[in-house]
């Protein structure tokens, strides 16, 4: 066991924090039916079953000829009795000893036993001859082969995205039962913060956290109530907390959660609600507070922009998925990669460094650091495509060692 620095004693591990958080919350959302056209990003509140079978009718998988197997196999040329197109079926008489010209997607005419692809046929003056053996059923896509009528196509708790919406559209589904989106109130705290567009006085900086937090919330399908920048003043903070609590299902602040003299977030949470935990054994992001207010859940992100983005990503994102009813949400998997550069680390906290993953000359998954990993170096996020996840007890990593990486998902542009 590596001796731990006293300030690391009693810190909650990320896994324990997640477990503690997720054990307390559940989805309490109301279900509503909304048109498919406005359902993107919503989460299914009921199983979706197919009102129809897909494909709706037996149809051709090839451009070629619809045949009866025995006639096609006879070696005799078969005159063409008509044509079947996608959207324009053949509806005439199909005399014995004939074939029907058919295109991909066209309904196969009644009595058709196989479709022979054009490349296996020869057009002669007497009709079409087939140059390869013909098997019953070949090149016919059967009705219901993809989806049977009444089959479950989406479970409860699935987010409707580019894979799901076209699927529902293909079934002719017009509306879908989804959960009401979560309402999330956000504010930044700090006397030094100014909104962009305002000239900075000495000692002031721009409020960057709300830009990232708001965007990530929107990407997660939440409604955002933005309460702006709140000064480090208990009175003003109390008002913001109360306003946010009344307006939202979840309240997210940034800053003021550490142990400095102007850090009131924790005090407010204690006064107006209940703290569940507020110190994590992760880097960056040690001071992250979770708890509840009278009507809503509360997450206090650290003020440092890298810490705020990281704790949002690793902790708030799974919390929101649970609250919003998104059952099959998960982060990208942890992968093994070769460290292409040395990485500095102190044992004691799980470290999420920002890395650039690539395939090296040996064809292996490798990763290099984005450079300086300070929690104020926000540019590291936009250079990176993954986290390098260094275990809690691990020290510095030498070039060539195996490390764990986790690619960014869409929230961080992955
Ligand atoms: P705090 O957690 O309030 O002690 O803040 C830690 C550091 O993050 C300080 O350097 C703050 O100035 C900075 N910080 C806090 N909130 C923000 C914000 N919204 N945008 C940019 N930097 C911030
Ligand atoms: Mg502050």
């Amino acid at each position: 066991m590596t001796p731990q620095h006293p300030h690391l004693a009693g810190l909650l591990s990320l896994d324990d924090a997640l477990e503690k958080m997720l054990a307390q919350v559940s989805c309490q959302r109301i279900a509503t039916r909304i048109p498919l056209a406005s359902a993107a990003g919503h989460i299914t509140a009921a199983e979706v079953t197919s009102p129809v079978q897909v494909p709706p009718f037996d149809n051709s998988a090839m451009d070629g000829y619809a045949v009866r197997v025995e006639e096609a196999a006879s070696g005799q040329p078969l005159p063409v009795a008509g044509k079947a197109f996608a959207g324009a079926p053949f509806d005439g008489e199909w005399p014995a000893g004939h074939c029907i010209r058919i295109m991909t997607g066209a309904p196969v005419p009644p009595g058709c036993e196989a479709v022979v692809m054009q490349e296996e046929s020869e057009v002669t003056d007497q009709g079409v001859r087939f140059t390869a053996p013909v098997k019953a059923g070949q090149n016919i896509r059967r009705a219901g082969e993809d989806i049977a009528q009444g089959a479950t196509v989406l479970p409860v708790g699935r987010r409707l995205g580019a894979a799901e919406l076209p699927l529902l559209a293909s079934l002719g589904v017009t509306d879908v039962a989804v959960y009401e989106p979560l309402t999330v109130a956000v504010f930044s705290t700090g006397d030094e913060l100014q909104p962009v567009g305002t000239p900075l006085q000495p000692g002031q900086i721009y409020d960057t956290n709300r830009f990232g937090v708001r965007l990530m919330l929107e990407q997660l399908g939440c409604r955002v109530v933005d309460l702006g920048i709140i000064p480090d003043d208990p009175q003003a903070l109390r008002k913001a907390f109360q306003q946010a609590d009344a307006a939202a299902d979840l309240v997210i602040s940034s800053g003021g959660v550490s142990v400095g003299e102007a850090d009131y977030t924790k005090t407010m949470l204690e006064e107006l609600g209940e703290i569940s935990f507020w110190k994590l054994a992760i880097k960056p992001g040690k001071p992250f507070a979770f708890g509840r207010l009278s009507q809503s859940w509360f997450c206090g992100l650290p003020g440092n922009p890298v810490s705020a983005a990281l704790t949002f990503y690793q902790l708030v994102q799974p919390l929101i998925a649970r609250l919003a009813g998104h059952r099959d949400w998960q982060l990208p998997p942890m992968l093994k990669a070769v460290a292409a550069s040395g990485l500095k680390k102190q044992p004691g906290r799980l470290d999420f460094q920002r890395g650039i993953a690539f395939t090296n000359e040996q064809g292996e998954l490798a990763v290099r650091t984005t450079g300086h990993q300070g929690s104020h170096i926000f540019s590291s996020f936009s250079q990176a495509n993954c986290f390098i996840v260094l275990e809690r007890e691990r020290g510095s990593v030498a070039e060539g060692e195996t490390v764990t990486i986790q690619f960014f998902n869409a929230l961080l542009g992955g």
Side-chain angles (χ1 to χ4, degrees):
M1 225 7 228
T2 321
Q4 281 191 354
H5 200 274
H7 80 274
L8 296 177
L11 298 187
L12 202 60
S13 75
L14 178 67
D15 285 346
D16 288 347
L18 279 169
E19 201 178 302
K20 208 165 171 173
M21 203 161 68
L22 298 179
Q24 293 178 60
V25 308
S26 60
C27 171
Q28 305 291 331
R29 316 307 304 152
I30 296 169
T32 53
R33 287 201 84 82
I34 59 171
L36 198 61
S38 44
H42 285 75
I43 293 155
T44 53
E47 231 179 51
V48 183
T49 56
S50 180
V52 294
Q53 54 177 354
V54 180
F57 45 81
D58 290 0
N59 68 90
S60 176
M62 292 286 176
D63 292 331
Y65 298 91
V67 298
R68 301 176 184 106
V69 172
E70 215 170 285
E71 292 174 355
S74 70
Q76 296 297 316
L78 307 179
V80 176
K83 291 185 178 174
F85 289 92
F90 172 76
D91 61 358
E93 275 292 300
W94 184 1
H98 287 65
C99 63
I100 311 256
R101 180 84 172 111
I102 193 164
M103 312 302 160
T104 306
V108 300
C112 168
E113 294 170 344
V115 170
V116 182
M117 62 198 275
Q118 199 163 298
E119 292 81 347
E120 294 177 352
S121 70
E122 209 172 78
V123 179
T124 71
D125 288 347
Q126 287 76 44
V128 186
R129 279 196 38 234
F130 301 103
T131 55
V134 180
K135 278 206 326 252
Q138 75 181 30
N139 301 322
I140 298 177
R141 303 166 175 161
R142 294 294 176 194
E145 194 172 77
D146 183 4
I147 299 167
Q149 190 172 3
T152 301
V153 284
L154 294 179
V156 178
R158 176 68 55 82
R159 185 147 200 252
L160 297 168
E164 290 75 20
L165 292 174
L167 174 64
L168 298 185
S170 76
L171 307 177
V173 169
T174 52
D175 53 43
V176 56
V178 298
Y179 291 123
E180 278 279 323
L182 279 183
T183 303
V184 183
V186 298
F187 57 89
S188 297
T189 71
D191 286 339
E192 74 281 28
L193 302 179
Q194 289 296 319
V196 287
T198 312
L200 295 180
Q201 304 301 317
Q204 294 184 332
I205 59 169
Y206 288 117
D207 172 13
T208 58
N209 290 344
R210 266 180 315 131
F211 277 91
V213 170
R214 256 186 346 223
L215 176 61
M216 292 194 273
L217 288 170
E218 280 159 11
Q219 285 180 272
L220 291 169
C222 301
R223 291 189 190 122
V224 179
V225 177
D226 188 345
L227 298 179
I229 299 165
I230 314 296
D232 293 316
D233 161 52
Q235 204 84 330
L237 278 164
R238 187 174 296 113
K239 220 176 116 211
F241 265 79
Q242 287 166 338
Q243 210 180 331
D245 182 32
D249 305 299
L250 171 66
V251 176
I252 300 177
S253 71
S254 82
V257 83
S258 196
V259 291
E261 282 178 22
D263 291 336
Y264 297 113
T265 304
K266 198 171 131 272
T267 327
M268 283 298 139
L269 182 56
E270 267 162 346
E271 180 190 314
L272 302 171
E274 203 177 303
I275 294 189
S276 175
F277 59 81
W278 73 285
K279 268 183 166 179
L280 301 183
I282 64 171
K283 186 175 184 233
K286 183 166 66 133
F288 170 89
F290 173 70
R292 59 171 318 139
L293 296 167
S294 66
Q295 303 175 52
S296 59
W297 296 101
F298 175 81
C299 292
L301 308 179
N304 271 311
V306 174
S307 315
L310 179 102
T311 50
F312 185 100
Y313 187 89
Q314 296 288 345
L315 289 139
V316 182
Q317 196 180 181
L319 174 72
I320 286 177
R322 177 65 61 91
L323 288 170
H326 190 179
R327 291 195 194 169
D328 43 21
W329 179 88
Q330 54 183 9
L331 278 174
M334 298 283 185
L335 304 172
K336 295 282 171 226
V338 183
S341 51
L343 304 166
K344 275 203 213 129
K345 178 174 185 306
Q346 302 270 337
R349 290 194 269 162
L350 179 67
D351 198 349
F352 288 90
Q353 303 201 0
R354 275 73 65 209
I356 301 163
F358 62 101
T359 306
N360 67 17
E361 281 176 5
Q362 290 75 47
E364 303 159 321
L365 183 59
V367 66
R368 64 172 181 273
T369 179
T370 55
H372 191 359
Q373 294 291 317
S375 57
H376 57 296
I377 310 287
F378 199 73
S379 56
S380 62
F381 266 116
S382 89
Q383 293 168 42
N385 60 8
C386 69
F387 289 115
I388 308 173
V389 187
L390 299 176
E391 299 76 4
R392 196 166 168 177
E393 296 312 327
R394 196 162 183 177
S396 288
V397 173
E399 185 183 328
E401 281 186 38
T402 300
V403 292
T404 300
I405 67 164
Q406 184 183 46
F407 278 102
F408 290 167
N409 69 13
L411 281 204
L412 287 172

